[in-house]
Amino acid sequence: MTNLRDIRLACIGAGNMAEALVKGLLRAGLSPAQVTVTDVRHERLDYFRSAYGVQAAPDNRAAAKAADVILLAVKPQQMNDVLAELAGATERALFVSIAAGIPTARIERALGAPARVVRVMPNTPALVGAGISALCGGAHAAAADLALAEVLLQAVGQTVRVDEALMDAVTAVSGSGPAYIFRVMEAMEAAAVQHGLPQETARSLVLATVAGAGQLAQSSRRAPSELREQVTSKGGTTEAALKVLNERDIAGAFSDAIAAAVRRARELAG
Ligand SMILES: NC(=O)c1ccc[n+]([C@@H]2O[C@H](COP(=O)([O-])OP(=O)(O)OC[C@H]3O[C@@H](n4cnc5c(N)ncnc54)[C@H](OP(=O)(O)O)[C@@H]3O)[C@@H](O)[C@H]2O)c1
């Protein structure tokens, strides 16, 4: 069953990622009648009802019972409570968890075997259909379960499959990654303003530069290092700037930052 039109989806937790996914799925052809979202916040339920026309209710267990696919979209710290509530609620549904750091084995144990679980790490560009999600299956997930999860996530961007052992690294790179790029954008914008550019112009220049560089790198067969070399002429301005970034060990900073995110993902796994 990999046709979107056949599934009933329950989304447990109606936060930011849930919204990105629901929005993308509706855009991809899922009907609002196929989707139920739950949340402890009534204002989020009202919002989903009015913005997307989906069903919205506070009862996680009732939503799970009626669903073919249950998207676990609460914060990792809230997962224990949600899983305890859902244990034994359904034997037929596929569970798709997007929670950072939580292993499929822990979800299976909490739900009671043999729950079919697919773990996914999406990222926030899913909000504009430009996400990338890594997927892996738990002990009882069949090939068709992974294929169905893939179809769901492709509504909001690209997908890749990885071994579960690599999920914390994925979390640190693409899950948290958009924030690293936003940090770089902030720094470039501040520097542009220091050199006299009006704030608005600085922002436009940075936004278009980051988006354009991303698009160029994506559409090119060349590695980022080659693209960098192409625009770095000997004795030129780019070389002068890159020399400073390298002296400040930008590669080391990213290496340490990603290592810290991997460690944190492992801590969240508990
Ligand atoms: N945001 C990202 O960039 C990103 C990227 C990849 C993966 N993820 C994963 O996606 C998941 C959701 O993240 P998010 O940023 O969308 O979080 P979020 O905006 O906080 O959404 C979670 C929602 O679930 C609600 N909730 C809490 N306990 C609940 C319960 N027992 N039953 C039903 N709903 C409950 C929360 O309410 P309260 O606010 O009152 O607690 C909140 O409205 C996380 O596990 C995260 O690791 C996020």
Side-chain angles (χ1 to χ4, degrees), residues 15-17 39 41 60 73-76 78 82 98-100 121-122 124:
N16 295 318
M17 277 317 292
D39 204 284
R41 289 174 185 263
N60 291 337
V74 294
K75 290 260 192 258
Q78 298 156 340
V82 164
I98 60 169
M121 178 44 58
T124 50

Side-chain angles (χ1 to χ4, degrees), residues 37-257:
V37 300
T38 68
D39 204 284
V40 288
R41 289 174 185 263
H42 285 271
E43 69 271 19
R44 288 302 289 172
L45 299 178
D46 292 342
Y47 170 70
F48 266 76
R49 245 182 248 119
S50 66
Y52 302 109
V54 299
Q55 298 156 80
D59 188 340
N60 291 337
R61 205 173 160 88
K65 275 186 172 170
D68 303 306
V69 178
I70 300 166
L71 183 75
L72 299 168
V74 294
K75 290 260 192 258
Q77 299 85 334
Q78 298 156 340
M79 198 58 115
N80 280 347
D81 289 349
V82 164
L83 293 175
E85 208 182 335
L86 298 185
T90 172
E91 282 184 5
R92 60 181 187 88
L94 168 66
F95 288 85
V96 177
S97 167
I98 60 169
I102 310 236
T104 53
R106 191 167 134 204
I107 298 171
E108 288 159 358
R109 259 197 317 277
L111 289 171
R116 288 149 51 226
V117 180
V118 173
R119 179 176 166 193
V120 177
M121 178 44 58
N123 66 3
T124 50
L127 279 164
V128 291
I132 183 152
S133 303
L135 295 89
C136 65
H140 312 291
D145 295 326
L146 270 162
L148 175 56
E150 221 158 43
V151 168
L152 288 169
L153 271 303
Q154 280 167 1
V156 291
Q158 303 176 52
T159 57
V160 292
R161 292 191 189 188
V162 298
D163 283 344
E164 185 156 15
L166 296 174
M167 271 309 225
D168 292 334
V170 167
T171 305
V173 174
S174 58
S176 304
Y180 315 154
I181 305 303
F182 299 145
R183 185 67 191 89
V184 169
M185 291 164 82
E186 278 175 72
M188 283 179 70
E189 189 179 313
V193 170
Q194 273 170 17
H195 286 275
L197 284 157
Q199 178 83 47
E200 217 174 298
T201 311
R203 179 153 308 170
S204 302
L205 291 170
V206 172
L207 283 178
T209 301
V210 171
Q215 237 175 300
L216 178 62
Q218 190 124 44
S219 65
S220 169
R221 289 215 193 98
R222 297 173 197 275
S225 56
E226 254 186 277
L227 293 172
R228 171 178 52 74
E229 280 158 16
Q230 267 179 1
V231 293
T232 312
S233 38
K234 267 261 160 293
T237 56
T238 311
E239 188 187 64
L242 288 172
K243 184 166 179 281
V244 174
L245 290 176
N246 291 332
E247 278 166 6
R248 301 276 181 97
D249 194 15
I250 185 171
F254 269 96
S255 168
D256 289 352

